[in-house]
Structure formats: structure tokens, C-alpha cells
Amino acid sequence: MIFPLEQLIKFKGNIYEMTCAASRRAYQLSMVKDPVIEESDDKVVSVAAQQLFDHSVTYSIEN
């Protein structure tokens, strides 16, 4: 699973922002070797995207 397709279709925000946030979150998860990655069969980007869609992790745009 790369991005959850049904949630991606329903997403009304800026998909570019979501993609950048997922990429940044995936980097964070891999750098700290988060146990969530070890427990999941999905790739790190998939886990990061799911966290963003579930709102368990939020992001904001810095100006």
C-alpha cells in the first residue's frame, strides 16, 4: 500500500502538501527507527501517510 486510495479520493485539501508532509514524516520515522515501522508490514511512506490521514500526526506550513 502506498497511499490509502479511498482516503486519497476523499481528501479535499492540497494533495501536494499532503505528499510533502508524508515524505517528511517518513523521513522522521526512519531516522528515529520508530517501532511502528518494525511492527508494520507496510513501507515507511505508507505508515506516514496513514498517520496523516488518521490525524494521529498533524502538519503545518511554515512561512
Side-chain angles (χ1 to χ4, degrees):
M1 173 173 89
I2 300 297
F3 265 44
L5 187 57
E6 57 278 346
Q7 290 175 334
L8 190 60
I9 292 170
K10 294 177 186 175
F11 185 69
K12 299 296 181 198
N14 186 329
I15 196 63
Y16 177 75
E17 289 176 3
M18 177 61 80
T19 304
C20 290
S23 174
R24 175 73 53 106
R25 180 63 180 155
Y27 178 76
Q28 291 172 342
L29 290 171
S30 65
M31 291 280 76
V32 298
K33 296 183 177 34
D34 196 298
V36 172
I37 301 302
E38 302 299 324
E39 296 169 1
S40 177
D41 292 333
D42 294 332
K43 296 186 184 264
V44 67
V45 175
S46 300
V47 173
Q50 190 62 48
Q51 288 178 344
L52 291 168
F53 282 121
D54 292 344
H55 300 288
S56 59
V57 174
T58 59
Y59 67 93
S60 63
I61 306 296
E62 293 182 4
N63 292 327

